[in-house]
Amino acid sequence: MIMLLCAAQYASQAQEAASRQETAAQQTPVTQKEDARSLPKAALKTNVIYDATATINLGVEFALAPKMTMDISGDLHPWVLPNGWRLTHYLVQPELRFWLKERFQGHFFAVNVLGATYNAGNIRNNFHIMGKDMSALGRYRLEGVAYGAGLGYGYAVRVAKHLNIEMEIGLGYIGAEFDAYRLGEKESLYAQNSTAQYFGPTKGALNIVYIF
């Protein structure tokens, strides 16, 4: 009789344990889904570095997965600066981001591409960038297109419920095709269908981000 009572009690305990495990298994996916739904889904941003150079810019970013987002930024500089420098350009740079913790927070790595049109010249300087003499921009105006690809690393800090500060740097390749015009009292075509290639920094951002 005692053996039967013990067996019955054991069976009852085993059934309760199995029921608890089944309930936990059913609740866990729901909790994970709720956590994913609580993460930000999109963001609008502006790069204060470009703002400081009077470049109109806007970025949008939207979620693809709990740790993956797509960022698309656009820059427009349509005017000549008061000192006569011409830096007019339009640039678009889509970027796929992989977040280490969760999207829109902490460290991330990125892969990006870019496309641009530009009209630059009359920039008198003695600069050398990555071993290239930039003083020619004081004697010539370059008009053409650019394209490229690169890798990026960044970090985002949450400073308020809907506000992030985001920093990023990117390295990669840029190819350019352009016509060169000699500056002077009468501008003249100097070289047509010229090309140039560049390896080095391709992105620098200090973004103020509004997240949804």
Side-chain angles (χ1 to χ4, degrees), residues 57-133:
N57 70 95
L58 180 67
V60 296
E61 187 174 1
F62 52 89
L64 300 177
K67 295 185 179 182
M68 184 185 301
T69 58
M70 173 63 73
D71 178 90
I72 302 174
S73 61
D75 311 327
L76 174 64
H77 194 292
W79 38 69
V80 178
L81 297 180
N83 59 4
W85 286 19
R86 179 184 293 273
L87 290 166
T88 57
H89 70 274
Y90 174 69
L91 181 146
V92 176
Q93 192 169 34
E95 180 174 87
L96 187 62
R97 293 180 168 183
F98 305 91
W99 298 81
L100 299 188
K101 183 179 179 182
E102 60 186 39
R103 63 186 184 231
F104 300 106
Q105 187 170 343
H107 301 273
F108 66 86
F109 293 94
V111 179
N112 58 61
V113 296
L114 65 87
T117 63
Y118 59 91
N119 189 345
N122 199 35
I123 305 173
R124 303 186 182 280
N125 68 90
N126 294 311
F127 302 151
H128 286 76
I129 300 178
M130 303 295 291
K132 296 183 180 295
D133 183 7

Side-chain angles (χ1 to χ4, degrees), residues 15 28 33 36 59 71 92 104 141 144-145 154 168 173 202:
Q15 185 175 357
T28 299
K33 290 179 181 179
D71 178 90
V92 176
F104 300 106
R141 180 176 65 84
V145 298
E168 184 184 7
Y173 162 82
T202 55

Side-chain angles (χ1 to χ4, degrees), residues 45-48 57 71 97 164-168 203 205-209:
K45 62 188 68 178
T46 184
N47 187 342
V48 298
N57 70 95
D71 178 90
R97 293 180 168 183
N164 273 9
I165 299 296
E166 178 184 281
M167 297 151 282
E168 184 184 7
K203 187 173 186 178
L206 177 59
N207 294 323
I208 297 176
V209 186

